[in-house]
Amino acid sequence: DQLRSRLLREQAITDGMEAALAEGQFEVYLQPKYRIKDDRLAGAEALVRWNHPEWGMQSPAYFIPLFEKNGFITQVDTYVFGTVCSQLSQWMEQGGEPLPISVNLSSVDIASEQLIPQILEITRACGLDHKYLEFELTETAFLSDSARTFHVMKTLQEEGFITSIDDFGSGYSIMNMMADIPTDVIKLDCGFVQSCTKTGRGREFLGQLIQMTNKMGFTSLCEGIETAQELKMLREMGCELGQGYYFSRPLPMNVFFEKFCRKVIDKS
């Protein structure tokens, strides 16, 4: 019964995904990133939600794994990136302070020869400086095709974009590649961070990993920060950026803009 239920659910998602994209059911949320040393806003990560007319708001865990399996993830990621670029351009026209916004790339995206041309075409159409856009790739992307992943990340860097490794420590290890990875940011997985903070040995390991990341010239970012105590500990460890519910949950793009990016205009 459970298998049948899962297969029926996957079939329903597959049947509805094309129409959902065409009808704008996929919505982009932004979760703020902060500088840990002074709690100042440093940017945001773009996350996708499916606002289904019957099922309601669906989290990425509900549909992203299936989209990665059937290849539809590339269309969704392109839509998310285009939406972010368009909104950034509008914010700047309205007097908003531009902030770096990161979007996620999957191993399916990386395999496409059209990825870089599409990215360049979208940013050119929106008139955006590449320094305001960051691309996050998971550790697992390196394991599927490390040579291709290296090439894509290096090309993105050469074009002036920011790159980052997402979910570092989530279950795979690319430690042997760290010295050569063409990336700017190392994002430590929230589950990994939470696990390390439970014991003295774990905290020592996490602190040493953050220090090593910083010394190698990467920007360290810890995900999943939920309490002031965790923030204080990570600040003492030297972590540079933080993200998590302690700061803010993901917000709809218009709410994020009103809360964080709009300049106060002197109407007098």
Side-chain angles (χ1 to χ4, degrees):
D1 288 341
Q2 289 180 346
L3 177 60
R4 173 180 167 79
S5 177
R6 179 174 64 81
L7 292 175
L8 288 173
R9 184 192 67 199
E10 290 184 354
Q11 189 60 52
I13 293 174
T14 302
D15 291 343
M17 63 189 188
E18 295 278 0
L21 185 60
E23 295 170 6
Q25 294 177 21
F26 293 106
E27 299 180 4
V28 179
Y29 278 51
L30 296 176
Q31 186 172 29
K33 301 177 184 178
Y34 282 83
R35 292 195 322 193
I36 287 185
K37 66 178 182 180
D38 55 13
D39 293 347
R40 291 186 61 185
L41 186 67
E45 178 183 4
L47 303 165
V48 66
R49 301 287 186 267
W50 187 349
N51 192 358
H52 195 280
E54 296 180 16
W55 309 332
M57 192 66 76
Q58 304 296 308
S59 76
Y62 185 78
F63 55 88
I64 290 297
L66 180 58
F67 288 175
E68 290 180 333
K69 188 187 304 183
N70 64 25
F72 191 65
I73 188 64
T74 297
Q75 294 184 54
V76 173
D77 286 345
T78 301
Y79 168 77
V80 170
F81 181 65
T83 301
V84 166
C85 289
S86 177
Q87 189 65 70
L88 264 176
S89 180
Q90 290 180 39
W91 286 347
M92 294 171 68
E93 290 177 0
Q94 296 171 15
E97 290 283 4
L99 288 167
I101 295 181
S102 63
V103 295
N104 293 282
L105 294 178
S106 74
S107 57
V108 181
D109 299 328
I110 294 297
S112 172
E113 294 290 342
Q114 297 303 312
L115 175 65
I116 302 297
Q118 283 182 334
I119 289 172
L120 295 176
E121 181 181 351
I122 292 172
T123 53
R124 189 182 305 114
C126 293
L128 287 175
D129 191 317
H130 294 179
K131 67 181 180 181
Y132 296 123
L133 296 163
E134 177 180 341
F135 293 95
E136 298 188 11
L137 295 91
T138 62
E139 272 191 314
T140 53
F142 285 90
L143 300 179
S144 60
D145 189 344
S146 59
R148 174 65 183 169
T149 304
F150 266 70
H151 169 72
V152 169
M153 294 191 73
K154 187 169 182 56
T155 303
L156 289 171
Q157 278 192 327
E158 291 172 348
E159 292 290 346
F161 297 104
I162 304 170
T163 61
S164 63
I165 304 298
D166 194 14
D167 297 337
F168 188 87
S170 59
Y172 300 90
S173 177
I174 56 171
M175 292 288 287
N176 60 322
M177 303 180 188
M178 276 191 70
D180 303 311
I181 290 177
T183 190
D184 303 292
V185 182
I186 299 291
K187 294 185 68 177
L188 300 180
D189 177 69
C190 59
F192 174 72
V193 172
Q194 295 289 338
S195 176
C196 286
T197 57
K198 293 179 180 179
T199 65
R201 181 176 292 178
R203 288 189 292 273
E204 178 64 24
F205 177 75
L206 178 61
Q208 292 295 328
L209 181 57
I210 290 172
Q211 289 298 316
M212 181 185 71
T213 299
N214 294 342
K215 288 179 179 178
M216 292 180 69
F218 303 120
T219 296
S220 56
L221 187 156
C222 285
E223 298 181 292
I225 300 175
E226 297 183 353
T227 67
Q229 182 179 1
E230 290 173 352
L231 177 63
K232 181 176 181 294
M233 178 191 67
L234 292 170
R235 181 180 289 125
E236 293 171 349
M237 289 179 176
C239 185
E240 297 177 79
L241 299 178
Q243 185 178 351
Y245 286 178
Y246 174 80
F247 298 112
S248 173
R249 291 176 177 270
L251 302 170
M253 293 190 78
N254 62 321
V255 176
F256 180 91
F257 173 59
E258 292 294 338
K259 185 173 182 179
F260 296 110
C261 299
R262 184 180 294 278
K263 288 182 178 179
V264 176
I265 301 175
D266 184 3
K267 297 183 179 181
S268 62

